[in-house]
Amino acid sequence: MNKRIPEPSLRRLPSYVYFLRQLAAQGRQAVSTADLAQALKLDPTQVRKDLSLAGATGRPRVGYDLAELLTTVETFLGWHNATDAFLVGTGQLGSALLRYEGFGQRGLNILAAFDTDPNKIGTIVHGREIMHVSRLVGLAKRMRVLLGILTVPGEAAQPTAEKMVEGGMIAIWNFAPATLSLPEGIIVENEHLDETLAVLSHRLSLSLESR
Amino acid sequence: MNKRIPEPSLRRLPSYVYFLRQLAAQGRQAVSTADLAQALKLDPTQVRKDLSLAGATGRPRVGYDLAELLTTVETFLGWHNATDAFLVGTGQLGSALLRYEGFGQRGLNILAAFDTDPNKIGTIVHGREIMHVSRLVGLAKRMRVLLGILTVPGEAAQPTAEKMVEGGMIAIWNFAPATLSLPEGIIVENEHLDETLAVLSHRLSLSLESR
DNA sequence: TAGATTGTTAATCGATTAACAATC
DNA sequence: TAGATTGTTAATCGATTAACAATC
């Protein structure tokens, strides 16, 4: 259980939660790895391994207790205790994330948003005032915010990320199309739509060829 | 060159393009895999393999011709000839994607958007009229649109995806937190923020423990 | 020519899947 | 008890990385 969980396993866990919630809403009490595997198109062995890595245990012949499994996985994912975050860059995508209601249930709490556009400073988006980026470092330090969400244009990504680190942040969720160079130990996770789009258009063109 | 490219390689290609464009803007003529590897924090051998899979060739002692390499990779990614798409679900995220200017450069052309909310039908977002979902199947067939972008709430994902397939679409870019069950041969790529968030919060909590 | 860099083949590493023992 | 399902160890598969030959 204390073994480092592989990233692919970690990435599959949220989908388990969604499916388990559906079953729970239907009043189900128990679930087997066969059920999960079929619904999520995975190998049953893989499901068992993932659940085991998340610290869940089931009972032979019965399966996993649904409520217990849900709690275990959600807790493992950290969805029960919120992580505070600052968001920098309130363009289309940044604003959309600010307005997204789902983060609360997933343990993410965006405290404030920053931008450089004078027209935006002082405006309120979904209950948060947009502040000038010059206040980022000081506020991050004072409020001990450890996670930064980076939704600035590509050119601004590197310097903005450096400010986040300067403010004491240790994790960055990067939506900008740029590769960040930051000190060892800083956790960077990229959300690059281009990557998925690349896979999609490549497969699409292969599929069109073979007709 | 005709060998199937692994998905991880494919996903790395867009980042090459961004870095190459930066170099091109600085007037550079040639680039080596060592340069690319250092900037993107990859292994030089991996870069060579990726480029080779994309059909690029370089010259020993010199490296790759920058302009030629850029064209080769962009073309391989399909960024030079546009793919038409319909977007369904014009909530925060859907609207943000509709307004995003970058897709054009990446070979994606969102022709129209659909929703079920009567208040939204008929309104214009970034030059596209929002239509009722009931028109999706017919229009997709008539216009031979093959790619659907799914930005509806989780519950609506499966039925909406089925409509896309009914309309003749063969690829779906799924942003909804749901696992889609569709006929064999339909290409589905998921963009699940939860997955990345799961990795991020788990690493963050590990990092906090070891202090 | 000498040496740097490409391009490919072989070795390693890690995740997935198969086999099977444990157990309710 | 018999049998279904968990949980784990071993085999497989694919991607990454190392080694090295080719070549400008």
Side-chain angles (χ1 to χ4, degrees):
Chain A
M1 192 221 150
N2 221 5
K3 238 171 96 187
R4 214 181 98 50
I5 185 169
E7 179 161 331
S9 294
L10 203 42
R11 288 188 167 271
R12 280 188 294 267
L13 292 180
S15 65
Y16 295 156
V17 173
Y18 300 134
F19 180 63
L20 293 174
R21 283 188 186 157
Q22 275 182 43
L23 291 186
Q26 291 163 25
R28 276 278 288 273
Q29 299 292 319
V31 65
S32 72
T33 50
D35 297 334
L36 280 157
Q38 195 185 25
L40 306 173
K41 300 186 175 176
L42 300 171
D43 186 285
T45 304
Q46 189 169 64
V47 174
R48 272 200 290 286
K49 199 155 216 177
D50 289 345
L51 296 184
S52 149
L53 285 162
T57 50
R59 286 193 308 169
R61 282 267 288 169
V62 182
Y64 297 77
D65 180 82
L66 189 48
E68 185 189 317
L69 181 56
L70 247 177
T71 310
T72 304
V73 179
E74 286 175 342
T75 305
F76 183 87
L77 285 172
W79 286 5
H80 286 152
N81 52 340
T83 303
D84 291 334
F86 278 173
L87 180 145
V88 185
T90 59
Q92 278 307 318
L93 182 61
S95 307
L97 295 181
L98 272 179
R99 279 182 244 261
Y100 181 51
E101 307 277 0
F103 284 140
Q105 307 159 32
R106 290 164 181 89
L108 181 66
N109 184 24
I110 306 180
L111 290 176
F114 299 83
D115 207 303
T116 50
D117 182 347
N119 296 317
K120 287 179 176 170
I121 312 297
T123 62
I124 310 280
V125 174
H126 210 70
R128 278 84 121 208
E129 186 187 339
I130 299 178
M131 290 177 276
H132 193 270
V133 176
S134 57
R135 300 182 58 191
L136 174 66
V137 176
L139 275 173
K141 276 187 185 158
R142 176 136 45 94
M143 302 175 76
R144 298 179 195 275
V145 173
L146 301 177
L147 173 61
I149 304 175
L150 193 55
T151 45
V152 300
E155 321 81 70
Q158 180 64 32
T160 309
E162 286 169 10
K163 278 199 192 106
M164 288 176 166
V165 173
E166 197 190 329
M169 293 182 173
I170 58 175
I172 294 178
W173 195 359
N174 176 38
F175 288 79
T179 304
L180 303 177
S181 264
L182 298 169
E184 185 102 8
I186 301 295
I187 302 159
V188 176
E189 275 296 315
N190 296 303
E191 197 79 59
H192 288 162
L193 297 193
D194 317 89
E195 293 181 2
T196 314
L197 190 53
V199 179
L200 212 41
S201 43
H202 185 258
R203 289 207 187 145
L204 196 51
S205 63
L206 279 189
S207 170
L208 290 176
E209 270 172 25
S210 62
R211 301 210 152 189
Chain B
M1 193 223 148
N2 223 7
K3 236 168 95 186
R4 216 181 95 54
I5 184 170
E7 180 162 330
S9 295
L10 202 42
R11 288 189 167 271
R12 281 189 294 269
L13 293 179
S15 66
Y16 295 157
V17 173
Y18 300 134
F19 180 64
L20 292 173
R21 281 186 186 158
Q22 274 181 43
L23 291 185
Q26 290 163 25
R28 277 277 290 274
Q29 299 292 317
V31 67
S32 72
T33 50
D35 297 335
L36 280 158
Q38 195 185 25
L40 305 173
K41 302 188 173 174
L42 300 170
D43 186 284
T45 304
Q46 189 168 61
V47 174
R48 270 199 292 285
K49 200 155 215 177
D50 289 344
L51 296 183
S52 149
L53 286 163
T57 49
R59 285 193 309 168
R61 284 263 288 166
V62 182
Y64 296 76
D65 180 81
L66 189 47
E68 184 188 318
L69 181 56
L70 249 177
T71 310
T72 304
V73 179
E74 286 175 341
T75 305
F76 182 85
L77 285 172
W79 285 6
H80 285 152
N81 52 339
T83 304
D84 291 333
F86 278 172
L87 180 145
V88 185
T90 58
Q92 279 305 319
L93 183 61
S95 307
L97 295 180
L98 271 180
R99 279 183 245 259
Y100 181 52
E101 307 277 0
F103 284 140
Q105 306 159 32
R106 290 165 180 87
L108 181 67
N109 184 24
I110 305 180
L111 291 177
F114 300 82
D115 207 302
T116 50
D117 182 348
N119 296 316
K120 288 180 174 169
I121 312 298
T123 61
I124 311 281
V125 174
H126 209 70
R128 276 85 115 207
E129 187 187 341
I130 298 179
M131 290 177 276
H132 193 271
V133 176
S134 58
R135 300 183 58 193
L136 174 66
V137 175
L139 276 172
K141 275 186 186 162
R142 175 135 47 93
M143 301 173 78
R144 295 177 197 278
V145 173
L146 301 177
L147 173 61
I149 304 174
L150 193 55
T151 46
V152 298
E155 321 80 69
Q158 179 65 32
T160 310
E162 286 170 10
K163 279 200 191 103
M164 287 175 165
V165 173
E166 196 190 330
M169 294 182 172
I170 58 174
I172 294 178
W173 195 359
N174 176 35
F175 288 78
T179 305
L180 303 176
S181 264
L182 298 169
E184 184 101 10
I186 302 295
I187 302 159
V188 177
E189 276 295 315
N190 296 302
E191 198 80 58
H192 288 162
L193 297 193
D194 318 88
E195 294 181 1
T196 315
L197 190 53
V199 179
L200 212 41
S201 42
H202 185 259
R203 288 206 186 146
L204 196 52
S205 62
L206 280 188
S207 170
L208 290 176
E209 270 172 28
S210 62
R211 300 214 148 184

PDB file of all heavy atoms in Angstrom, chain A residues 109-132:
ATOM      1  N   ASN A 109      -9.589  24.416  -4.496  1.00  0.00           N
ATOM      2  CA  ASN A 109     -10.216  25.661  -4.089  1.00  0.00           C
ATOM      3  C   ASN A 109      -9.416  26.838  -4.653  1.00  0.00           C
ATOM      4  O   ASN A 109      -8.343  27.167  -4.145  1.00  0.00           O
ATOM      5  CB  ASN A 109     -10.237  25.698  -2.547  1.00  0.00           C
ATOM      6  CG  ASN A 109     -10.953  26.903  -2.019  1.00  0.00           C
ATOM      7  OD1 ASN A 109     -11.796  27.478  -2.705  1.00  0.00           O
ATOM      8  ND2 ASN A 109     -10.600  27.300  -0.808  1.00  0.00           N
ATOM      9  N   ILE A 110      -9.920  27.451  -5.700  1.00  0.00           N
ATOM     10  CA  ILE A 110      -9.209  28.592  -6.295  1.00  0.00           C
ATOM     11  C   ILE A 110      -9.540  29.835  -5.487  1.00  0.00           C
ATOM     12  O   ILE A 110     -10.668  30.326  -5.503  1.00  0.00           O
ATOM     13  CB  ILE A 110      -9.584  28.790  -7.776  1.00  0.00           C
ATOM     14  CG1 ILE A 110      -9.358  27.478  -8.554  1.00  0.00           C
ATOM     15  CG2 ILE A 110      -8.748  29.914  -8.387  1.00  0.00           C
ATOM     16  CD1 ILE A 110      -9.689  27.571 -10.033  1.00  0.00           C
ATOM     17  N   LEU A 111      -8.534  30.352  -4.782  1.00  0.00           N
ATOM     18  CA  LEU A 111      -8.749  31.459  -3.850  1.00  0.00           C
ATOM     19  C   LEU A 111      -8.811  32.805  -4.559  1.00  0.00           C
ATOM     20  O   LEU A 111      -9.576  33.684  -4.183  1.00  0.00           O
ATOM     21  CB  LEU A 111      -7.598  31.516  -2.837  1.00  0.00           C
ATOM     22  CG  LEU A 111      -7.525  30.397  -1.815  1.00  0.00           C
ATOM     23  CD1 LEU A 111      -6.276  30.580  -0.966  1.00  0.00           C
ATOM     24  CD2 LEU A 111      -8.771  30.402  -0.942  1.00  0.00           C
ATOM     25  N   ALA A 112      -7.952  32.970  -5.565  1.00  0.00           N
ATOM     26  CA  ALA A 112      -7.870  34.277  -6.209  1.00  0.00           C
ATOM     27  C   ALA A 112      -7.326  34.118  -7.610  1.00  0.00           C
ATOM     28  O   ALA A 112      -6.732  33.099  -7.948  1.00  0.00           O
ATOM     29  CB  ALA A 112      -6.967  35.200  -5.399  1.00  0.00           C
ATOM     30  N   ALA A 113      -7.535  35.176  -8.424  1.00  0.00           N
ATOM     31  CA  ALA A 113      -7.060  35.141  -9.807  1.00  0.00           C
ATOM     32  C   ALA A 113      -6.266  36.401 -10.114  1.00  0.00           C
ATOM     33  O   ALA A 113      -6.513  37.459  -9.537  1.00  0.00           O
ATOM     34  CB  ALA A 113      -8.244  35.012 -10.755  1.00  0.00           C
ATOM     35  N   PHE A 114      -5.304  36.263 -11.017  1.00  0.00           N
ATOM     36  CA  PHE A 114      -4.409  37.372 -11.339  1.00  0.00           C
ATOM     37  C   PHE A 114      -4.325  37.567 -12.850  1.00  0.00           C
ATOM     38  O   PHE A 114      -4.501  36.625 -13.617  1.00  0.00           O
ATOM     39  CB  PHE A 114      -3.004  37.078 -10.787  1.00  0.00           C
ATOM     40  CG  PHE A 114      -2.978  36.914  -9.296  1.00  0.00           C
ATOM     41  CD1 PHE A 114      -3.301  35.688  -8.718  1.00  0.00           C
ATOM     42  CD2 PHE A 114      -2.652  37.978  -8.469  1.00  0.00           C
ATOM     43  CE1 PHE A 114      -3.296  35.540  -7.344  1.00  0.00           C
ATOM     44  CE2 PHE A 114      -2.642  37.834  -7.096  1.00  0.00           C
ATOM     45  CZ  PHE A 114      -2.962  36.605  -6.527  1.00  0.00           C
ATOM     46  N   ASP A 115      -4.033  38.831 -13.219  1.00  0.00           N
ATOM     47  CA  ASP A 115      -3.874  39.139 -14.634  1.00  0.00           C
ATOM     48  C   ASP A 115      -3.015  40.401 -14.733  1.00  0.00           C
ATOM     49  O   ASP A 115      -2.646  40.988 -13.708  1.00  0.00           O
ATOM     50  CB  ASP A 115      -5.247  39.376 -15.290  1.00  0.00           C
ATOM     51  CG  ASP A 115      -5.242  39.047 -16.783  1.00  0.00           C
ATOM     52  OD1 ASP A 115      -4.416  39.647 -17.508  1.00  0.00           O
ATOM     53  OD2 ASP A 115      -6.031  38.202 -17.214  1.00  0.00           O
ATOM     54  N   THR A 116      -2.665  40.795 -15.962  1.00  0.00           N
ATOM     55  CA  THR A 116      -1.904  42.037 -16.121  1.00  0.00           C
ATOM     56  C   THR A 116      -2.736  43.114 -16.808  1.00  0.00           C
ATOM     57  O   THR A 116      -2.393  44.289 -16.763  1.00  0.00           O
ATOM     58  CB  THR A 116      -0.636  41.820 -16.989  1.00  0.00           C
ATOM     59  OG1 THR A 116      -1.015  41.148 -18.189  1.00  0.00           O
ATOM     60  CG2 THR A 116       0.401  40.986 -16.252  1.00  0.00           C
ATOM     61  N   ASP A 117      -3.835  42.717 -17.425  1.00  0.00           N
ATOM     62  CA  ASP A 117      -4.690  43.652 -18.151  1.00  0.00           C
ATOM     63  C   ASP A 117      -5.377  44.616 -17.173  1.00  0.00           C
ATOM     64  O   ASP A 117      -6.198  44.206 -16.351  1.00  0.00           O
ATOM     65  CB  ASP A 117      -5.744  42.844 -18.926  1.00  0.00           C
ATOM     66  CG  ASP A 117      -6.659  43.727 -19.757  1.00  0.00           C
ATOM     67  OD1 ASP A 117      -6.651  44.956 -19.552  1.00  0.00           O
ATOM     68  OD2 ASP A 117      -7.365  43.177 -20.613  1.00  0.00           O
ATOM     69  N   PRO A 118      -5.062  45.945 -17.288  1.00  0.00           N
ATOM     70  CA  PRO A 118      -5.627  46.937 -16.363  1.00  0.00           C
ATOM     71  C   PRO A 118      -7.153  46.943 -16.370  1.00  0.00           C
ATOM     72  O   PRO A 118      -7.780  47.254 -15.353  1.00  0.00           O
ATOM     73  CB  PRO A 118      -5.096  48.277 -16.898  1.00  0.00           C
ATOM     74  CG  PRO A 118      -4.011  47.952 -17.860  1.00  0.00           C
ATOM     75  CD  PRO A 118      -4.216  46.551 -18.326  1.00  0.00           C
ATOM     76  N   ASN A 119      -7.740  46.587 -17.511  1.00  0.00           N
ATOM     77  CA  ASN A 119      -9.206  46.593 -17.600  1.00  0.00           C
ATOM     78  C   ASN A 119      -9.841  45.487 -16.764  1.00  0.00           C
ATOM     79  O   ASN A 119     -11.006  45.557 -16.408  1.00  0.00           O
ATOM     80  CB  ASN A 119      -9.655  46.424 -19.053  1.00  0.00           C
ATOM     81  CG  ASN A 119      -9.220  47.586 -19.910  1.00  0.00           C
ATOM     82  OD1 ASN A 119      -9.321  48.742 -19.484  1.00  0.00           O
ATOM     83  ND2 ASN A 119      -8.682  47.297 -21.080  1.00  0.00           N
ATOM     84  N   LYS A 120      -9.055  44.458 -16.513  1.00  0.00           N
ATOM     85  CA  LYS A 120      -9.610  43.329 -15.761  1.00  0.00           C
ATOM     86  C   LYS A 120      -9.396  43.476 -14.259  1.00  0.00           C
ATOM     87  O   LYS A 120     -10.195  42.964 -13.468  1.00  0.00           O
ATOM     88  CB  LYS A 120      -8.956  42.025 -16.236  1.00  0.00           C
ATOM     89  CG  LYS A 120      -9.432  41.579 -17.606  1.00  0.00           C
ATOM     90  CD  LYS A 120      -8.732  40.305 -18.005  1.00  0.00           C
ATOM     91  CE  LYS A 120      -9.258  39.783 -19.335  1.00  0.00           C
ATOM     92  NZ  LYS A 120      -8.437  38.685 -19.834  1.00  0.00           N
ATOM     93  N   ILE A 121      -8.321  44.161 -13.876  1.00  0.00           N
ATOM     94  CA  ILE A 121      -7.995  44.287 -12.452  1.00  0.00           C
ATOM     95  C   ILE A 121      -9.168  44.908 -11.700  1.00  0.00           C
ATOM     96  O   ILE A 121      -9.716  45.926 -12.129  1.00  0.00           O
ATOM     97  CB  ILE A 121      -6.742  45.182 -12.234  1.00  0.00           C
ATOM     98  CG1 ILE A 121      -5.604  44.781 -13.172  1.00  0.00           C
ATOM     99  CG2 ILE A 121      -6.295  45.155 -10.774  1.00  0.00           C
ATOM    100  CD1 ILE A 121      -5.082  43.404 -12.981  1.00  0.00           C
ATOM    101  N   GLY A 122      -9.554  44.289 -10.607  1.00  0.00           N
ATOM    102  CA  GLY A 122     -10.635  44.833  -9.804  1.00  0.00           C
ATOM    103  C   GLY A 122     -11.992  44.251 -10.154  1.00  0.00           C
ATOM    104  O   GLY A 122     -12.912  44.325  -9.344  1.00  0.00           O
ATOM    105  N   THR A 123     -12.115  43.652 -11.327  1.00  0.00           N
ATOM    106  CA  THR A 123     -13.397  43.037 -11.662  1.00  0.00           C
ATOM    107  C   THR A 123     -13.552  41.722 -10.902  1.00  0.00           C
ATOM    108  O   THR A 123     -12.581  41.151 -10.415  1.00  0.00           O
ATOM    109  CB  THR A 123     -13.536  42.761 -13.175  1.00  0.00           C
ATOM    110  OG1 THR A 123     -12.510  41.845 -13.563  1.00  0.00           O
ATOM    111  CG2 THR A 123     -13.397  44.035 -13.986  1.00  0.00           C
ATOM    112  N   ILE A 124     -14.805  41.294 -10.812  1.00  0.00           N
ATOM    113  CA  ILE A 124     -15.100  40.080 -10.051  1.00  0.00           C
ATOM    114  C   ILE A 124     -15.518  38.969 -11.009  1.00  0.00           C
ATOM    115  O   ILE A 124     -16.408  39.169 -11.839  1.00  0.00           O
ATOM    116  CB  ILE A 124     -16.274  40.320  -9.071  1.00  0.00           C
ATOM    117  CG1 ILE A 124     -16.044  41.586  -8.238  1.00  0.00           C
ATOM    118  CG2 ILE A 124     -16.508  39.106  -8.187  1.00  0.00           C
ATOM    119  CD1 ILE A 124     -15.126  41.420  -7.080  1.00  0.00           C
ATOM    120  N   VAL A 125     -14.910  37.826 -10.932  1.00  0.00           N
ATOM    121  CA  VAL A 125     -15.339  36.676 -11.733  1.00  0.00           C
ATOM    122  C   VAL A 125     -15.724  35.549 -10.787  1.00  0.00           C
ATOM    123  O   VAL A 125     -14.881  35.043 -10.053  1.00  0.00           O
ATOM    124  CB  VAL A 125     -14.233  36.186 -12.692  1.00  0.00           C
ATOM    125  CG1 VAL A 125     -14.675  34.905 -13.389  1.00  0.00           C
ATOM    126  CG2 VAL A 125     -13.913  37.249 -13.734  1.00  0.00           C
ATOM    127  N   HIS A 126     -17.008  35.216 -10.814  1.00  0.00           N
ATOM    128  CA  HIS A 126     -17.486  34.103  -9.996  1.00  0.00           C
ATOM    129  C   HIS A 126     -17.049  34.261  -8.533  1.00  0.00           C
ATOM    130  O   HIS A 126     -16.564  33.314  -7.907  1.00  0.00           O
ATOM    131  CB  HIS A 126     -16.948  32.790 -10.560  1.00  0.00           C
ATOM    132  CG  HIS A 126     -17.868  31.631 -10.304  1.00  0.00           C
ATOM    133  ND1 HIS A 126     -19.075  31.494 -10.927  1.00  0.00           N
ATOM    134  CD2 HIS A 126     -17.746  30.556  -9.486  1.00  0.00           C
ATOM    135  CE1 HIS A 126     -19.663  30.387 -10.511  1.00  0.00           C
ATOM    136  NE2 HIS A 126     -18.877  29.803  -9.628  1.00  0.00           N
ATOM    137  N   GLY A 127     -17.187  35.481  -8.036  1.00  0.00           N
ATOM    138  CA  GLY A 127     -16.907  35.704  -6.623  1.00  0.00           C
ATOM    139  C   GLY A 127     -15.471  36.009  -6.260  1.00  0.00           C
ATOM    140  O   GLY A 127     -15.173  36.280  -5.100  1.00  0.00           O
ATOM    141  N   ARG A 128     -14.564  35.930  -7.228  1.00  0.00           N
ATOM    142  CA  ARG A 128     -13.162  36.264  -6.898  1.00  0.00           C
ATOM    143  C   ARG A 128     -12.735  37.529  -7.625  1.00  0.00           C
ATOM    144  O   ARG A 128     -12.917  37.648  -8.824  1.00  0.00           O
ATOM    145  CB  ARG A 128     -12.199  35.148  -7.317  1.00  0.00           C
ATOM    146  CG  ARG A 128     -12.086  34.014  -6.354  1.00  0.00           C
ATOM    147  CD  ARG A 128     -13.183  33.024  -6.585  1.00  0.00           C
ATOM    148  NE  ARG A 128     -12.715  31.682  -6.910  1.00  0.00           N
ATOM    149  CZ  ARG A 128     -13.445  30.863  -7.655  1.00  0.00           C
ATOM    150  NH1 ARG A 128     -14.597  31.246  -8.189  1.00  0.00           N
ATOM    151  NH2 ARG A 128     -13.017  29.653  -7.880  1.00  0.00           N
ATOM    152  N   GLU A 129     -12.101  38.422  -6.868  1.00  0.00           N
ATOM    153  CA  GLU A 129     -11.587  39.643  -7.458  1.00  0.00           C
ATOM    154  C   GLU A 129     -10.312  39.319  -8.233  1.00  0.00           C
ATOM    155  O   GLU A 129      -9.469  38.555  -7.771  1.00  0.00           O
ATOM    156  CB  GLU A 129     -11.265  40.651  -6.351  1.00  0.00           C
ATOM    157  CG  GLU A 129     -10.866  42.012  -6.905  1.00  0.00           C
ATOM    158  CD  GLU A 129     -10.373  42.960  -5.802  1.00  0.00           C
ATOM    159  OE1 GLU A 129     -10.701  42.719  -4.623  1.00  0.00           O
ATOM    160  OE2 GLU A 129      -9.652  43.912  -6.146  1.00  0.00           O
ATOM    161  N   ILE A 130     -10.185  39.917  -9.411  1.00  0.00           N
ATOM    162  CA  ILE A 130      -8.968  39.723 -10.189  1.00  0.00           C
ATOM    163  C   ILE A 130      -7.941  40.775  -9.775  1.00  0.00           C
ATOM    164  O   ILE A 130      -8.230  41.967  -9.797  1.00  0.00           O
ATOM    165  CB  ILE A 130      -9.262  39.819 -11.699  1.00  0.00           C
ATOM    166  CG1 ILE A 130     -10.250  38.706 -12.069  1.00  0.00           C
ATOM    167  CG2 ILE A 130      -7.984  39.692 -12.509  1.00  0.00           C
ATOM    168  CD1 ILE A 130     -10.665  38.699 -13.507  1.00  0.00           C
ATOM    169  N   MET A 131      -6.764  40.314  -9.391  1.00  0.00           N
ATOM    170  CA  MET A 131      -5.722  41.222  -8.917  1.00  0.00           C
ATOM    171  C   MET A 131      -4.567  41.295  -9.906  1.00  0.00           C
ATOM    172  O   MET A 131      -4.409  40.429 -10.769  1.00  0.00           O
ATOM    173  CB  MET A 131      -5.217  40.730  -7.565  1.00  0.00           C
ATOM    174  CG  MET A 131      -6.259  40.915  -6.477  1.00  0.00           C
ATOM    175  SD  MET A 131      -5.708  40.269  -4.892  1.00  0.00           S
ATOM    176  CE  MET A 131      -6.142  38.555  -5.102  1.00  0.00           C
ATOM    177  N   HIS A 132      -3.745  42.331  -9.726  1.00  0.00           N
ATOM    178  CA  HIS A 132      -2.594  42.462 -10.620  1.00  0.00           C
ATOM    179  C   HIS A 132      -1.518  41.448 -10.231  1.00  0.00           C
ATOM    180  O   HIS A 132      -1.305  41.163  -9.054  1.00  0.00           O
ATOM    181  CB  HIS A 132      -2.017  43.873 -10.557  1.00  0.00           C
ATOM    182  CG  HIS A 132      -1.038  44.126 -11.678  1.00  0.00           C
ATOM    183  ND1 HIS A 132       0.301  43.878 -11.562  1.00  0.00           N
ATOM    184  CD2 HIS A 132      -1.241  44.565 -12.949  1.00  0.00           C
ATOM    185  CE1 HIS A 132       0.904  44.168 -12.710  1.00  0.00           C
ATOM    186  NE2 HIS A 132      -0.017  44.584 -13.570  1.00  0.00           N
TER     187      HIS A 132
END
